Amino acid sequence: MEYVQERVATLHDFGGATPDAPVDRATVVVPLTGRDHASLAAERVLSTLGKVDPASVLVALRADEGQVAAVREWVDSFPVDADLLWCNAPTVETRLAEHGLGGPGGKGRDVWLALGVAAARSDYVVVHDADATTYGPEQVPRLAFPLAHGYSFVKGYYARVENDRLYGRLCRLFYEPVVAALDEAHDHPLVDYLGAFRYGLAGEFAATGEVVEQLRPPRGWGLEVGTLGDAFASAGFAGSAQVDLGVHEHDHRAVGGPQGLTDMADQVAAALFLALADAGVDVDYADLRDRYRETARRLVDQYGSDAAFNGLEYDPAAERDQVDAYAEAVAPPAGDSRMPSWAETPLAVESVRAASRDAMDDVTDR
């Protein structure tokens, strides 16, 4: 346990912290896929939110038409007043296309749609995933607390240790070393900001409605990094905080293959480099790739020492192989998949809600 303050305000858990927070003024956004809707982790999250009792809960659903009725019935079975937003409903897709926003979906677009609805209904918005088997009722109050104390953007951080192993591989072995390598070559406040958070790829964050309306998440992965880039512009160091969420456990992805960690690294890198380009940071990709490998291999040695200190299993050769795989992501972004900020899009939030509701009624006979 420690109590060190950093470039952004760091709120520690010194033993079961559950602060008095404005959860009654917050909408909690929970992205969910049809595949994951009946998992034990998702059940734990929705059951727990019923005890937290925020102003509202918004489940951002991405699912096939044949799954929607079952998901709707499942969500309704919990003791929480949760709205379902069917983000890839045909009617929602049509509405997006009518406003020049057509294109592929993904987690980032789902969250973006939900953020617009949430910001329209609440002063504060809290976002977290539904896959944490360690989820507890203290998480939303911890994320919301700083919003009532002068901060407008809040990021969660946690330890990723389970089954006697270190996890959080994409953050440990890609994001952290690439940002550290950037810091060696660039004296820029955005680079400092990106490195100031203890878990830059945490999906758990909270923000005021004003900040939420400025966010431009990419359509797929990379949501977390894109959010940080926009938060720097909207909140900056003085308006940002990070809070201790304890130990975080959830399902793990393979390194390779579709939707594996290497695919995610490509999208995280694209979001990172787009944010840097917006800020005028000119990246030498060949030099950065070399710096990244050097920095990441040093961190592998350090994580190995940490694991040994705690009696954890650790495979440094496998970690170095991951570093080599992730290094391919250090390249110019192939395009910009970011959604526009809600402050700049002509799309009406209520029209999205109505399109989702009508589509769900059509497939569930309500």
Side-chain angles (χ1 to χ4, degrees):
M1 182 183 296
E2 50 72 41
Y3 48 81
V4 176
Q5 286 296 322
E6 302 184 23
R7 288 293 303 275
V8 297
T10 303
L11 282 62
H12 304 81
D13 174 23
F14 296 137
T18 306
D20 185 14
V23 296
D24 59 337
R25 298 169 60 190
T27 290
V28 179
V29 171
V30 183
L32 185 76
T33 66
R35 179 189 64 184
D36 297 331
H37 83 273
S39 68
L40 292 176
E43 289 185 1
R44 178 186 179 106
V45 167
L46 288 180
S47 296
T48 302
L49 284 173
K51 303 172 186 176
V52 175
D53 196 26
S56 64
V57 174
L58 185 60
V59 177
L61 175 67
R62 178 161 32 98
D64 295 334
E65 179 178 316
Q67 299 173 298
V68 173
V71 175
R72 194 176 200 180
E73 181 178 2
W74 175 78
V75 170
D76 287 346
S77 71
F78 292 95
V80 60
D81 185 14
D83 290 339
L84 200 61
L85 185 69
W86 185 14
C87 297
N88 63 322
T91 49
V92 173
E93 299 280 4
T94 298
R95 187 76 69 236
L96 290 168
E98 290 172 349
H99 289 81
L101 300 173
K107 180 183 178 182
R109 195 189 71 171
D110 298 345
V111 170
W112 177 80
L113 286 166
L115 289 176
V117 176
R121 64 166 57 164
S122 299
D123 295 329
Y124 306 134
V125 180
V126 175
V127 180
H128 63 64
D129 293 329
D131 60 355
T133 59
T134 49
Y135 185 81
E138 73 285 346
Q139 183 160 309
V140 171
R142 290 185 189 181
L143 288 165
F145 175 85
L147 299 178
H149 292 81
Y151 301 99
S152 56
F153 177 78
V154 185
K155 185 85 164 175
Y157 71 90
Y158 32 66
R160 294 294 315 282
V161 181
E162 57 184 291
N163 302 321
D164 294 323
R165 299 182 68 90
L166 295 174
Y167 283 94
R169 293 161 292 172
L170 192 61
C171 190
R172 286 193 298 109
L173 301 176
F174 180 67
Y175 179 81
E176 289 180 356
V178 82
V179 172
L182 282 163
D183 188 53
E184 291 179 354
H186 300 278
D187 181 15
H188 194 281
L190 175 57
V191 177
D192 294 341
Y193 185 81
L194 294 171
F197 293 88
R198 294 187 171 187
Y199 205 108
L201 297 190
E204 292 69 25
F205 73 92
T208 62
E210 292 82 0
V211 169
V212 163
E213 290 180 340
Q214 301 299 323
L215 301 180
R216 302 167 297 161
R219 292 172 178 269
W221 305 110
L223 163 68
E224 296 80 10
V225 179
T227 297
L228 284 180
D230 290 333
F232 172 71
S234 298
F237 283 102
S240 300
Q242 59 183 342
V243 298
D244 187 349
L245 297 181
V247 175
H248 192 77
E249 297 181 5
H250 64 67
D251 292 338
H252 308 292
R253 294 178 180 271
V255 176
Q259 301 297 306
L261 294 180
T262 50
D263 278 357
M264 293 179 69
D266 290 339
Q267 296 184 52
V268 168
L272 171 64
F273 297 136
L274 285 170
L276 292 168
D278 282 352
V281 179
D282 186 15
V283 176
D284 181 333
Y285 290 96
D287 177 69
L288 178 61
R289 194 176 302 113
D290 291 339
R291 289 177 181 271
Y292 159 71
R293 286 194 178 99
E294 180 180 351
T295 304
R297 288 168 181 161
R298 172 176 55 78
L299 287 175
V300 166
D301 292 337
Q302 292 177 342
Y303 283 121
S305 297
D306 203 4
F309 183 80
N310 287 279
L312 304 178
E313 297 179 20
Y314 194 73
D315 186 344
E319 299 252 307
R320 293 188 188 98
D321 287 344
Q322 287 186 57
V323 168
D324 290 338
Y326 299 149
E328 299 304 312
V330 182
D336 189 346
S337 70
R338 289 177 294 186
M339 303 301 294
S341 71
W342 278 100
E344 297 177 351
T345 178
L347 179 65
V349 168
E350 184 51 44
S351 72
V352 174
R353 291 186 61 202
S356 167
R357 184 170 54 248
D358 291 347
M360 285 192 294
D361 288 346
D362 287 343
V363 299
T364 59
D365 296 324
R366 289 195 190 179

